[in-house]
Every structure is written in structure tokens, then in C-alpha cells.
């Protein structure tokens, strides 16, 4: 065999091996990572029964006078609801656009009960668990999949007041959840993760795009995530008013449930009163857990109903 041919074959083999390594490094090889900085001890503003409204990092918490009526002294479970002295959850199943949508209407006494958790309790690449496993390990009452930060090398990662990744993702919007319970959508390229942490951003999720900002839909009819199909299983989180949230998952890719476009999800959430809404990782990742079980039908290709392992969850609990 000629020397030039051998060189070409060697180059192709080396390129193939390098490409295989990159794929393994991105999706398979697990590596732990380290925290960069923590906000330290956190005081979460709560509304006092007297009606006094303490100041939070991003402003005062103003709640209706009858807010306490959403809660119960003891924990009360039903098939589609949960209440105790700090948490109120009501699950409603909707049918829109030939799609089943699961909506958790969540009211809290403090945003400290709206939490995040990492797969296996660790930050790093390719560290994954099913949403239901993470939920059970953290005694979650309600949980959804998060932003699957581990599938990407850039994008802000702040979890429970700890900054793990500060590299901005080009063209991506992040959702900052502040210690006073407010939501803010930020452009990563024009923001700094450390500044968000210093301003009281207790959790920052990086997936997107935003669906609603200031009560206005921010996606068009043709907007989608990368090159994904228009109709998909979806996961989203929304802010209605102080300490009142919507946590939403829609089924998709099956004969029973078509799936939603981003624009359809945005308009659906606006109809429920959302003033800020944000798209999280969807498709085969979309999973909702409540009362000890998965209540939707997660699927990657529609041929099998099963959970996908992901990097993180958003959950309600203690």
C-alpha cells in the first residue's frame, strides 16, 4: 500500500477515534466538578401572619391577606393535591391541542421550598439519574426534570445558592430564581453568574427560551429549541405572583398525545395567569413526579413509555 494511502487511512482512524472520544466525554464518561463559590447562609423572606411584608433581595413580598387560607396545619394528601403549613399543591390535567398537559399549581410560604437537586448529589458531566430517583432521594413532594446542564459545556449553573458553572452560553436566556421568590429572565452573554449570585439568585437554570416575560409571550409560532420537532413533550416553570408558581409537563410523541409547540405552551400558560414562564429540557426528559410516582408518560420516541436519566430536577419539598 502506498505511503500516501497509509497516511490517509491513519488520519481517518485518528479522526474517528477523536470523534468517538468527544462523544464519550460529552455523553458517557462521568466526571465530578467543583463548586466555584457559595452565597453562604441564606435568609428567605416570608410573610408574617401580622401582615408585615419583609423585604427580599429583589423587593418586598406582597401577598393577599387571605394567603394563609391556602395552607393547613397538618399535611393533607389527596390523589391530586397536597397541603401543609408551608406548601400547597393542586394537580390539574388539561387537554389542549390533542395533548395531555399536567399542571401543578403551587403556592408557598417561602421560596425555600422550591428547590433543585443534582443527580447522585454531585455536580459534573454525565452524572445522571431518573427524575423519580432524584425525587425520592430528596423526599420531594412534587418534582420535574430540570435543564439537563450536563449535556452542555456552557450555561450558568447555580443550585441552592452555589455557583458551579459561570461560562455563558451564546444566545441563551437563563432563568434566575431569587431568594424573595421572584423570577427574572436574563441574557447570559450580557450577564455574569457571580453578579446574579450576589444579587440573591438562589437557583439559575440554563435552557430556555423564555416563554413569557412581563405577561407577554416571547416566542413566535415558528420558534423552537435548536432543530427539534415542532410538537414535543415539554417541561416549563412559571411565575404567577409572589410565591405562586405553575410547574408544567406535557406529554407528546404518541398517538394519545401529540405534543406542544413552544408558542402553544406559552399561550396556554398565559391563559393560566403566568407573568413569567420559562422552557426547560423537554422531549424524552419531560417527567412529572407527585405523591411517590411519575404521573405523566415520558417517552423519547413514542414507542416506549420510560424515563430518561437527566442531570438535575426542580422540586417542591423540605
Amino acid at each position: 500500500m502506498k505511503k500516501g494511502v497509509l497516511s490517509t487511512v491513519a488520519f481517518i482512524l485518528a479522526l474517528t477515534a477523536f470523534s468517538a472520544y468527544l462523544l464519550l466525554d460529552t455523553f458517557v464518561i462521568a466526571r465530578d466538578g467543583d463548586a466555584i463559590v457559595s452565597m453562604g447562609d441564606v435568609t428567605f423572606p416570608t410573610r408574617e401572619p401580622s401582615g408585615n411584608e419583609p423585604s427580599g433581595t429583589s423587593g418586598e413580598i406582597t401577598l393577599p391577606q387571605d394567603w394563609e387560607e391556602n395552607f393547613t396545619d397538618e399535611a393533607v394528601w389527596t390523589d391530586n393535591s397536597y397541603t401543609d403549613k408551608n406548601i400547597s399543591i393542586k394537580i390539574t390535567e388539561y387537554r389542549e391541542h390533542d395533548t395531555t398537559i399536567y399542571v401543578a399549581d403551587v403556592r408557598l410560604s417561602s421560596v425555600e421550598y422550591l428547590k433543585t437537586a443534582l443527580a447522585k448529589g454531585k455536580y459534573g458531566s454525565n452524572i445522571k439519574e431518573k427524575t423519580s430517583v432524584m425525587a425520592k432521594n430528596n423526599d420531594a413532594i412534587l418534582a420535574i426534570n430540570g435543564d439537563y446542564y450536563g449535556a452542555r459545556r456552557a450555561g450558568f449553573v447555580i443550585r441552592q445558592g452555589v455557583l458551579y458553572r459561570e461560562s455563558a452560553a451564546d444566545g441563551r436566556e437563563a432563568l434566575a430564581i431569587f431568594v424573595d421568590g421572584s423570577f427574572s429572565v436574563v441574557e447570559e452573554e450580557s450577564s455574569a453568574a457571580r453578579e446574579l449570585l450576589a444579587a440573591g439568585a438562589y437557583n439559575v437554570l440554563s435552557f430556555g427560551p423564555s416563554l413569557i416575560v412581563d405577561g407577554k409571550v416571547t416566542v413566535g409560532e415558528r420558534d423552537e429549541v435548536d432543530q427539534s420537532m415542532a410538537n414535543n413533550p415539554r417541561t416549563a416553570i412559571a411565575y404567577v405572583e409572589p410565591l405562586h408558581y405553575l410547574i408544567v409537563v406535557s406529554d407528546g410523541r404518541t398517538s394519545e398525545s401529540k405534543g406542544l409547540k413552544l408558542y402553544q405552551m406559552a399561550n396556554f400558560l398565559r391563559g393560566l395567569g403566568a407573568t413569567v414562564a420559562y422552557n426547560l429540557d423537554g422531549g424524552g426528559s419531560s417527567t412529572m413526579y407527585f405523591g411517590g410516582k411519575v404521573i405523566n408518560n415520558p417517552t423519547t420516541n413514542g414507542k416506549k413509555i420510560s424515563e430518561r436519566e437527566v442531570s438535575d430536577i426542580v422540586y417542591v419539598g423540605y
Side-chain angles (χ1 to χ4, degrees):
M1 188 177 291
K2 295 183 178 180
K3 184 176 180 180
V5 174
L6 287 172
S7 297
T8 300
V9 171
F11 175 77
I12 292 172
L13 289 173
L15 182 61
T16 301
F18 180 69
S19 298
Y21 169 78
L22 286 179
L23 287 171
L24 287 169
D25 187 50
T26 302
F27 298 108
V28 178
I29 301 172
R31 288 192 175 88
D32 292 355
D34 296 321
I36 298 173
V37 64
S38 169
M39 66 166 52
D41 294 335
V42 180
T43 299
F44 292 94
T46 57
R47 181 175 184 270
E48 298 297 331
S50 63
N52 296 324
E53 310 297 347
S55 296
T57 301
S58 299
E60 290 190 348
I61 299 178
T62 303
L63 298 171
Q65 290 298 315
D66 61 352
W67 189 251
E68 286 81 6
E69 294 180 9
N70 294 298
F71 308 104
T72 54
D73 291 335
E74 302 294 333
V76 179
W77 283 95
T78 73
D79 290 341
N80 63 353
S81 69
Y82 173 87
T83 57
D84 66 22
K85 62 182 180 180
N86 296 305
I87 296 169
S88 171
I89 301 170
K90 182 178 180 181
I91 308 288
T92 303
E93 188 175 314
Y94 293 83
R95 186 74 181 173
E96 300 275 348
H97 306 290
D98 295 322
T99 299
T100 302
I101 309 170
Y102 307 83
V103 177
D105 187 288
V106 178
R107 299 168 197 255
L108 305 172
S109 67
S110 166
V111 78
E112 66 187 288
Y113 307 112
L114 180 61
K115 298 174 173 285
T116 55
L118 303 175
K120 300 180 181 179
K122 299 178 180 179
Y123 169 79
S125 59
N126 301 312
I127 301 173
K128 299 179 288 185
E129 285 183 311
K130 292 180 179 179
T131 293
S132 61
V133 172
M134 281 183 271
K136 290 174 182 177
N137 288 343
N138 289 278
D139 296 323
I141 299 165
L142 168 76
I144 54 170
N145 60 288
D147 63 8
Y148 206 160
Y149 74 84
R152 298 173 303 282
R153 294 182 178 273
F156 297 162
V157 179
I158 296 177
R159 298 292 189 272
Q160 302 297 112
V162 179
L163 172 60
Y164 291 100
R165 188 167 68 195
E166 57 184 335
S167 57
D170 294 345
R172 186 178 303 157
E173 296 174 315
L175 176 68
I177 302 175
F178 290 88
V179 295
D180 68 351
S182 62
F183 280 17
S184 180
V185 175
V186 299
E187 295 283 348
E188 292 194 19
E189 289 176 286
S190 58
S191 305
R194 289 178 188 246
E195 291 179 1
L196 287 172
L197 186 72
Y202 192 60
N203 284 293
V204 175
L205 302 164
S206 177
F207 195 86
S210 65
L211 302 174
I212 300 171
V213 174
D214 295 330
K216 298 179 180 179
V217 171
T218 52
V219 288
E221 293 187 54
R222 296 185 178 181
D223 288 338
E224 282 304 326
V225 178
D226 298 325
Q227 301 299 315
S228 64
M229 298 182 295
N231 296 89
N232 278 299
R234 302 284 184 189
T235 302
I237 186 168
Y239 173 97
V240 179
E241 58 185 346
L243 301 181
H244 183 187
Y245 309 99
L246 301 174
I247 294 176
V248 184
V249 164
S250 69
D251 284 339
R253 299 179 181 170
T254 68
S255 58
E256 291 79 18
S257 193
K258 183 178 180 181
L260 297 178
K261 299 177 181 179
L262 289 176
Y263 184 72
Q264 291 171 334
M265 175 63 91
N267 279 283
F268 172 74
L269 288 169
R270 185 176 64 173
L272 295 180
T275 57
V276 180
Y278 186 79
N279 181 59
L280 292 170
D281 185 27
S285 300
S286 289
T287 304
M288 180 177 282
Y289 169 101
F290 176 72
K293 62 183 179 181
V294 174
I295 64 172
N296 73 307
N297 297 287
T299 181
T300 298
N301 53 24
K303 297 178 181 178
K304 181 181 180 181
I305 304 301
S306 63
E307 285 184 76
R308 172 190 289 171
E309 291 188 331
V310 294
S311 300
D312 58 306
I313 60 171
V314 179
Y315 75 97
V316 177
Y318 290 94

